[in-house]
Amino acid sequence: NITTLRGVLEHLPHWEMIMLDACLMQSIEVAYELKDVTDYMVGCPSETNAYGAPYDMIMKHMLKGDAGQVARTYYESYEHGSGAIISAIDCRQLDQLAEVMQTLVPKIWGGRKEISTEGIQYYSPFGSSSSYRPEPYDIEGVMYHTLEAQDFALWKEAWDKVNVYCGATDEWATVYGPGIHNHLIDRDHYSGMSMFVPNEKYVPYQWMDKFREFRWYKAARWDETGW
């Protein structure tokens, strides 16, 4: 439980970096929940590489607190092999991103609107036909395919301050084998960071209720959309 994890970490000394070596953890909801307990976060928006993190190569960078180099070394170790997608973000910049989102979220989703996710990078192994599990879509892909050019430029300026490093091969090996969820479909507009996109199909499974528990829900003014 991410909210519980944050509650525990708040009672510990501040972290320079947290690396989440678990599937589907590099999301804006997780990042914003942990932003006050760490400066940087490294993780994978999809399933983690089937062969595991190359700890023999990244430990020296972890000990230095160099999140960007941790992610870069991780990526480069698999770039010409099984493939990988990994990113590092600066959590200290997330409040500024939230301020930008406050103007955009009500504009896009106000009145409980739904958006088309066709052509947007997604990172779930369960496919678009599933509703019993939420699908993580790439946050930059969502913004690019949804916003007018001027609004997207405003969002991208804030995002570029958050983004430290993102590397992705065209495909990456996972325990689920080949599939669109571990295949890059929009190289020009991906960020290595996922987001939850509200949809009525999630309501019977209480995913909207879960979404409301995260600090990101109020920080980005989702509470003004009807969702």
Side-chain angles (χ1 to χ4, degrees), residues 16 31 38 44 54 67 72 77 80 84 97 106 112 115 148 155 161 175 182 186 205-206 223:
E16 292 180 350
T38 184
C44 177
R72 183 184 300 275
S77 70
H80 301 295
L97 180 68
R112 207 177 174 90
I115 66 166
E148 298 292 336
W155 179 88
K161 294 176 182 178
V175 295
N182 58 340
D186 188 3
Y205 301 93
Q206 287 79 54
D223 55 341

Side-chain angles (χ1 to χ4, degrees), residues 163-182:
N163 178 35
V164 175
Y165 176 82
C166 178
T169 50
D170 289 337
E171 296 180 350
W172 51 94
T174 78
V175 295
Y176 293 100
I180 196 169
H181 58 281
N182 58 340

